[in-house]
Amino acid sequence: MNKVDIKNLSLEELEDFLQGLGKEKYRAKQIFKWIYQKNATTFDQMSNLSKDFRNDLSGRAFVTTFGPEVEESSPDGTRKYLFRLADGACVESVLIPDEGRNTLCVSSQVGCAMGCRFCLTGSFGLERNLSCAEIINQVCAVKNTQDIRNIVFMGMGEPLANLENVIKAVKVLISPDGLQFSNRRVTISTSGLVPEMEILGRSVTVNLAVSLNATTDEQRDRIMPVNRKYPIQQLLAACRKFPLPSRRMITFEYVLIGGVNDSLDDAKRFVKLIHGIPAKVNLIPFNEYEGCVYKSPEQAEIDRFHKYLLDRNITVITRSSRGGDISAACGQLKGRLERPLESVEAETRGKRG
Ligand code: SF4
């Protein structure tokens, strides 16, 4: 018999699983609380379940857990975790501190198929989707040692290309019997998979971030191949329809790439494009990495873009390149781990020392 990882089940699925064993529905909530609120990793620890029931469960199910294989920290407090999965694949999470309101950025896939030209993860291609348990376990592992206030799905992968597992993981994250995050504190980011945005909106209430990064289809086609399938106007129409938690805004992520999308004309077009959408904007100056064809923007261009939006009453934040010294740009730690672990550890020790 194939055993079930309980962390791959939503509460409703666990209820169905237990009903199949002739058990009461409310037992699912008890088990969820043991796993997600008391960190139980074996059924033996679940002292409000009978011994026979615990034995029965142990024969049919298990609870996975994992810890980071590599953990790096930066002087600005950013911490990067690299997890090696059961099949040897690696994913990463990044904890970004902000005055006691830590944000954990989690991965949803090993690699990514979307092929955004400015992204190192995109250059690896897609290895596979993460299971719900592998998404949840990134949160559980970091939560063991750090407070987490916000969860953002902005690590490796396109979350909406792994929609079923991402929705299930979100349900566990926001369940009062699960990890108890407010739905206002969970954000899913997408490069623009329009039909999946609609399904996400119907399935769970969470914040949405859209990685826009261009102001014309011609430009976006070049740097984000997804645009050829779902062009800007179609994407923005889906944003307008997306059901947000009350008084929330869609976050538009905009990676400023030197000489590509950072002109004043871009800023003007950007403001027109998002007109009428409750929106805030994150400007992310591109971080050059070895072998990439794009350049970081000049500080003057960043400031001009930022000011143009600000002067039009748009909530805009320019993200500092936090954790730059620990390669916190998307996918870089994993890229390094493709090399033998000893050399990464030696390098990490060197940086800490
Ligand atoms: S930016 Fe995001 S969607 Fe695009 S290739 Fe990188 S990980 Fe994938």
Side-chain angles (χ1 to χ4, degrees), residues 37-86:
Q37 294 170 19
K38 297 179 201 164
N39 295 330
T41 52
T42 67
F43 297 111
D44 268 346
Q45 294 166 275
M46 303 180 186
S47 53
N48 56 355
L49 308 182
S50 74
K51 196 151 193 309
D52 282 353
F53 183 25
R54 283 184 267 156
N55 285 341
D56 196 12
L57 279 174
S58 301
R60 297 167 189 272
F62 58 99
V63 183
T64 50
T65 179
F66 55 59
E69 182 169 294
V70 178
E71 188 178 333
E72 293 185 350
S73 56
S74 170
D76 67 11
T78 304
R79 303 179 81 84
K80 188 145 180 163
Y81 302 85
L82 191 127
F83 301 103
R84 192 171 293 276
L85 309 175

Side-chain angles (χ1 to χ4, degrees), residues 34-304:
W34 275 108
I35 293 174
Y36 295 115
Q37 294 170 19
K38 297 179 201 164
N39 295 330
T41 52
T42 67
F43 297 111
D44 268 346
Q45 294 166 275
M46 303 180 186
S47 53
N48 56 355
L49 308 182
S50 74
K51 196 151 193 309
D52 282 353
F53 183 25
R54 283 184 267 156
N55 285 341
D56 196 12
L57 279 174
S58 301
R60 297 167 189 272
F62 58 99
V63 183
T64 50
T65 179
F66 55 59
E69 182 169 294
V70 178
E71 188 178 333
E72 293 185 350
S73 56
S74 170
D76 67 11
T78 304
R79 303 179 81 84
K80 188 145 180 163
Y81 302 85
L82 191 127
F83 301 103
R84 192 171 293 276
L85 309 175
D87 62 357
C90 298
V91 286
E92 60 190 18
S93 311
V94 181
L95 187 77
I96 304 153
D98 181 14
E99 291 164 13
R101 292 166 303 178
N102 291 343
T103 295
L104 183 69
C105 174
V106 296
S107 296
S108 54
Q109 297 183 306
V110 183
C112 183
M114 304 309 292
C116 304
R117 300 279 177 257
F118 51 83
C119 171
L120 188 57
T121 298
S123 69
F124 299 141
L126 176 68
E127 261 179 61
R128 67 171 174 86
N129 283 335
L130 294 189
S131 66
C132 171
E134 288 167 336
I135 297 171
I136 290 295
N137 274 331
Q138 296 170 58
V139 180
C140 294
V142 177
K143 206 169 156 271
N144 279 340
T145 58
Q146 306 284 334
D147 283 332
I148 307 171
R149 181 95 181 270
N150 304 297
I151 305 279
V152 295
F153 284 69
M154 292 182 189
M156 289 170 67
E158 161 56 64
L160 298 193
N162 183 15
L163 192 59
E164 197 182 318
N165 291 327
V166 165
I167 288 175
K168 214 188 286 186
V170 168
K171 285 183 176 172
V172 174
L173 288 172
I174 65 176
S175 166
D177 303 297
L179 285 161
Q180 298 182 301
F181 285 92
S182 156
N183 63 0
R184 306 169 74 83
R185 305 259 163 230
V186 178
T187 302
I188 308 288
S189 174
T190 182
S191 59
L193 292 176
V194 167
E196 286 80 2
M197 284 166 66
E198 234 174 87
I199 300 172
L200 178 75
R202 266 190 270 127
S203 308
V204 279
T205 306
V206 279
N207 299 313
L208 182 73
V210 172
S211 197
L212 192 62
N213 306 327
T215 57
T216 66
D217 280 325
E218 195 203 357
Q219 210 179 38
R220 200 164 188 266
D221 281 354
R222 254 186 284 126
I223 59 174
M224 299 183 74
V226 65
N227 197 68
R228 292 177 207 149
K229 201 161 181 195
Y230 305 113
I232 291 177
Q233 285 307 338
Q234 212 175 321
L235 174 58
L236 294 176
C239 291
R240 289 192 165 85
K241 278 195 263 163
F242 191 82
L244 289 169
S246 62
R247 297 191 303 280
R248 301 301 281 186
M249 296 190 262
I250 288 185
T251 303
F252 286 99
E253 308 275 346
Y254 194 97
V255 177
L256 282 167
I257 307 172
V260 173
N261 61 359
D262 60 345
S263 69
L264 187 58
D265 282 345
D266 282 303
K268 288 178 181 171
R269 281 193 294 264
F270 189 24
V271 169
K272 278 194 189 139
L273 284 173
I274 65 171
H275 180 72
I277 302 176
K280 56 184 175 180
V281 176
N282 277 347
L283 295 179
I284 308 156
F286 176 69
N287 262 336
E288 286 175 27
Y289 57 85
E290 216 179 295
C292 72
V293 293
Y294 295 119
K295 298 232 161 317
S296 299
E298 300 293 331
Q299 191 58 48
E301 315 297 324
I302 301 172
D303 294 343
R304 187 176 59 180

